[in-house]
Amino acid sequence: KLVVLLGDGRHLLGLLRSFDQFEGACERVIVGDLYCDIPLGLNIIRGENVVLIGEMDMEKEELPSHMTAVSTVEIKRAQKAERDATYLKGSMKNIMEFLDID
């Protein structure tokens, strides 16, 4: 079982069956202390998209105990809230720079 970090920031978990073929894959989405494994099925991953790949130790706990598993709907909602907060922060920074206020 492997974890693959892609260039676009996604984390995929699954079984590597052959080069570029990732079976039983799921995308692990983490927002703060929440996470969700979204099933993807069979995936073909081009090598140029892989940033990091590592074997998962099946005998160890995968995540810290403070992490909470949530549904797909809840994690999507959390992702949207995180994106909105980042956008708002960037907007406020741009306004402050425009007004030349420190």
Side-chain angles (χ1 to χ4, degrees), residues 20-77:
D20 292 335
Q21 185 175 338
F22 212 50
E23 186 175 302
C26 64
E27 178 182 359
R28 175 159 292 166
V29 180
I30 300 173
V31 179
D33 287 345
L34 305 176
Y35 78 95
C36 179
D37 289 340
I38 302 171
L40 301 175
L42 177 67
N43 267 292
I44 306 297
I45 303 171
R46 290 177 52 110
E48 65 190 34
N49 296 322
V50 175
V51 173
L52 178 82
I53 188 167
E55 184 176 5
M56 296 179 67
D57 189 346
M58 302 300 281
E59 295 177 14
K60 290 188 178 179
E61 183 65 32
E62 292 181 27
L63 292 168
S65 59
H66 69 277
M67 299 293 288
T68 305
V70 295
S71 69
T72 304
V73 172
E74 290 175 279
I75 204 71
K76 297 278 187 199
R77 192 177 308 128

